[in-house]
Amino acid sequence: MKVALIGCGAIGEVIAEAIANKKVKAKLEYLLDSNREKAEKLSKLFEEKPKIANSIEDILSSEVELVIEAASIKAARQFLPKILEAKKNAMVMSVGVFADEDFYERMLTLGEEKNVKIFLPSGAIGAIDALSSASMEELYEVTLTTIKNPKSFGLELKERKTLFRGNAIEAIEKFPQNINVAVTLALAGIGIKKTKVEIIADPKVRRNMHRIKVRGSFGEFNFEVKNEVSPKNPKTSYLAALSAIATLKRIVSPIKIG
Ligand SMILES: NC(=O)c1ccc[n+]([C@@H]2O[C@H](COP(=O)([O-])OP(=O)(O)OC[C@H]3O[C@@H](n4cnc5c(N)ncnc54)[C@H](O)[C@@H]3O)[C@@H](O)[C@H]2O)c1
């Protein structure tokens, strides 16, 4: 599959490395980054070098079948409609862009009209497969509890403290750094208004923890992940970058698990 990558930062680098090392059967045709040097650095990983795009138009007019966005919410908002219009599939890492329900509906309709797919990797969390299955019937509760070191919130605390308890909409407004995880969970589950969020600062934790509790007519499950941060970007969990590779692998493989 011919792919293009927008965003050559922490996640983009892990994706490019996986393709260059043939972990995934895909051919990287184009790299695009507002900082051209970052794209040039990644192109050096390849024997057969991908082209550096001057603008999104280079990618849209090419034979690329899948465009991977790993840049920013602003970039996703700007580029996704163009990618779909050009009848190309998309993988979106900046899932937070779909906190805008209007934008989500417009992209859903556009994807249907153009007969293309939009893939949203599970990112920094897991159990999205079980939540999707559970959501086929009634869900009573979906709660996300995020526990991070106070420094992640710019705080110095000696004791554990609950910073927030409310729904995902308010959580995103007050703690935008949690936006991708909250939106992924909301989209797979019961929507952004009904998804409950709790945010805790705890000086004893080093890794970013996410706990997911789901109750529904299927029964209930609990999921917990303790994420190491990406060696390239302390704001990004390494698992999020790995989820992009796993999604790409699922797309190109004839067998799709989960
Ligand atoms: N889904 C998840 O769970 C999850 C987890 C972590 C990060 N993310 C999101 O994925 C995205 C990438 O994360 P990262 O850690 O790799 O970030 P990063 O800052 O390390 O890299 C982003 C790269 O994109 C480039 N860029 C930004 N805006 C651009 C634009 N308009 N056009 C072209 N290039 C642009 C930057 O120059 C940079 O090189 C972010 O939006 C982040 O919030 C999602």
Side-chain angles (χ1 to χ4, degrees):
M1 176 176 275
K2 292 178 178 172
V3 305
L5 176 62
I6 304 177
C8 302
I11 293 179
E13 185 168 343
V14 173
I15 297 170
E17 275 171 357
I19 299 174
N21 297 336
K22 303 198 171 27
K23 259 194 193 166
V24 192
K25 276 192 192 162
K27 182 159 187 292
L28 190 60
E29 293 274 328
Y30 274 101
L31 288 163
L32 174 64
D33 199 294
S34 41
N35 180 344
R36 197 180 170 93
E37 278 175 22
K38 288 196 169 188
E40 279 163 2
K41 189 181 147 213
L42 289 200
S43 84
K44 294 199 179 102
L45 296 169
F46 294 81
E47 270 174 43
E48 200 182 328
K49 307 246 175 306
K51 295 185 260 306
I52 312 287
N54 291 312
S55 72
I56 186 78
E57 274 66 35
D58 287 344
I59 297 171
L60 300 179
S61 60
S62 73
E63 287 180 0
V64 159
E65 299 158 87
L66 172 77
V67 183
I68 304 170
E69 177 282 326
S72 66
I73 288 177
K74 204 173 153 204
R77 181 179 289 280
Q78 187 189 349
F79 297 141
L80 187 58
K82 293 183 178 185
I83 294 166
L84 303 180
E85 280 288 353
K87 294 196 172 146
K88 303 200 181 297
N89 301 292
M91 188 200 295
V92 178
M93 284 313 293
S94 306
V95 180
V97 72
F98 296 120
D100 176 348
E101 288 175 299
D102 213 45
F103 183 77
Y104 176 78
E105 289 300 330
R106 279 199 290 124
M107 294 308 102
L108 195 62
T109 308
L110 194 53
E112 276 168 1
E113 273 173 21
K114 301 291 172 188
N115 195 24
V116 286
K117 308 269 181 258
I118 309 166
F119 299 95
L120 309 183
S122 49
I125 50 171
I128 294 302
D129 52 353
L131 179 54
S132 299
S133 305
S135 74
M136 294 297 108
E137 280 295 339
E138 203 182 348
L139 284 171
Y140 310 140
E141 180 194 347
V142 179
T143 303
L144 167 70
T145 305
T146 295
I147 309 171
K148 292 183 181 176
N149 190 282
K151 288 197 182 80
S152 301
F153 304 105
L155 298 171
E156 288 288 339
L157 294 177
K158 292 217 164 59
E159 301 285 327
R160 180 182 166 107
K161 187 178 174 192
T162 299
L163 302 180
F164 175 84
R165 213 177 265 143
N167 74 15
I169 293 187
E170 298 158 330
I172 287 165
E173 276 168 21
K174 295 196 173 124
F175 296 89
Q177 60 270 59
N178 230 25
I179 186 168
N180 293 305
V181 166
V183 172
T184 304
L185 199 64
L187 291 178
I190 45 175
I192 206 150
K193 293 187 189 89
K194 288 189 188 154
T195 303
K196 292 187 216 157
V197 177
E198 192 173 6
I199 297 176
I200 296 168
D202 186 342
K204 290 201 184 91
V205 307
R206 180 180 64 81
R207 296 175 292 192
N208 292 344
M209 283 173 63
H210 300 290
R211 279 188 195 139
I212 297 165
K213 179 180 175 191
V214 176
R215 288 192 307 112
S217 53
F218 74 98
E220 64 181 80
F221 75 76
N222 292 284
F223 169 86
E224 180 179 293
V225 63
K226 294 175 184 171
N227 278 323
E228 295 290 353
V229 299
S230 160
K232 312 266 168 26
N233 180 353
K235 278 194 260 165
T236 287
S237 297
Y238 191 40
L239 187 69
L242 298 178
S243 81
I245 313 175
T247 301
L248 187 53
K249 212 167 173 175
R250 264 171 61 85
I251 295 170
V252 297
S253 171
I255 296 184
K256 304 188 193 305
I257 305 161

